[in-house]
Amino acid sequence: SKGERVLTSREEIEQYSPQYHLPIPHKDLGKLHRYPLVQKRVVQMTGKGKIASFYALTVVGNGNGLVGYGEGKAEAIPEASQKAFTQAVRSMDVVERFEERTLWTTIQTKFGATRIIMRPRPVGFGLQCNPNLHQVFRAAGIKDVSAKVWGSRNPMNVIKAAMRMLHAGNAPLKMGDGIGGKGKRIEAGAGTRGKEAVERERGRRIVDGR
């Protein structure tokens, strides 16, 4: 129609793609671990009736210390999955790993009705945990860990709680919002402590004994 510009070249089409402004090169997108863990049809009730759409939640990682998750909603599954993948790539963050295979220490959190505890394990132990946590650990490059989920095992809550634990920098439990009120649910919980935090607490350096 009049006033609309037609995209002719491949470069112009890619420039208007949601993946054009991602923080990693396009050639590396295919190398990422991509796990579409939740795909479902959802309905929004409005005054004009029901509006149906599709929801997708995807976990993305490079298998070597980077992991993130994204959510997307659209009228079709492919579009929702693409939105979730784009958001997951943008939300990828570093995970502190001991010997690049397990956690530094035991960590736990509570997200809604979901409670998770993760424990480091020796070499060759593998991943013994909830199926959704298994995919998160694979995407993050964690090879030896055990985890237990109590309460609600809703996949969305389990994944969001796990990401909050693995991504360091979250406020400790019961810290609140700093002005006397309760902290936001998404911000409560303890993140992964890295090597420097453990050394500072113990007052001595950690040396690899293997």
Side-chain angles (χ1 to χ4, degrees):
S1 62
K2 187 177 180 180
E4 293 184 354
R5 182 167 175 269
V6 179
L7 303 179
T8 55
S9 65
R10 180 178 179 183
E11 290 76 11
E12 288 179 332
I13 295 176
E14 290 180 348
Q15 184 175 357
Y16 287 90
S17 170
Q19 298 184 7
Y20 182 77
H21 297 287
L22 290 180
I24 62 176
H26 279 218
K27 62 180 180 179
D28 296 333
L29 290 178
K31 302 177 183 179
L32 296 175
H33 296 257
R34 181 175 180 176
Y35 302 112
L37 299 183
V38 180
Q39 291 183 348
K40 62 181 180 179
R41 181 176 179 269
V42 295
V43 176
Q44 179 185 7
M45 192 66 187
T46 67
K48 298 180 179 180
K50 297 179 180 179
I51 301 178
S53 59
F54 291 92
Y55 169 88
L57 187 149
T58 301
V59 172
V60 173
N62 66 350
N64 191 28
L66 275 179
V67 68
Y69 82 96
E71 300 171 285
K73 189 183 292 185
E75 296 180 356
I77 284 285
E79 297 178 10
S81 299
Q82 194 63 35
K83 288 182 179 180
F85 174 75
T86 302
Q87 183 182 347
V89 173
R90 289 173 176 168
S91 68
M92 285 196 304
D93 201 353
V94 177
V95 176
E96 291 280 355
R97 297 177 299 161
F98 176 69
E99 297 179 347
E100 297 186 353
R101 62 170 185 85
T102 188
L103 304 175
W104 278 94
T105 182
T106 300
I107 53 178
Q108 59 181 327
T109 191
K110 186 177 183 296
F111 184 84
T114 301
R115 179 169 169 246
I116 301 178
I117 183 169
M118 301 179 184
R119 297 183 177 93
R121 288 296 181 248
V123 179
F125 184 86
L127 300 175
Q128 296 188 15
C129 54
N130 179 280
N132 295 299
L133 292 178
H134 190 280
Q135 303 294 59
V136 172
F137 290 141
R138 288 185 59 186
I142 297 176
K143 305 176 181 64
D144 304 304
V145 72
S146 65
K148 176 68 176 178
V149 180
W150 285 277
S152 172
R153 289 174 174 79
N154 183 300
M156 294 183 290
N157 278 14
V158 171
I159 295 169
K160 292 177 182 179
M163 289 296 178
R164 187 176 66 181
M165 297 169 73
L166 296 178
H167 289 166
N170 294 283
L173 289 171
K174 301 182 180 179
M175 175 172 282
D177 59 3
I179 55 175
K182 294 183 178 180
K184 296 180 181 179
R185 186 178 71 162
I186 192 67
E187 295 177 353
T192 305
R193 293 189 302 163
K195 180 180 179 182
E196 294 181 358
V198 176
E199 289 178 340
R200 192 179 305 111
E201 179 181 336
R202 296 181 180 180
R204 60 177 68 90
R205 292 190 176 275
I206 297 176
V207 179
D208 187 359
R210 294 196 303 124

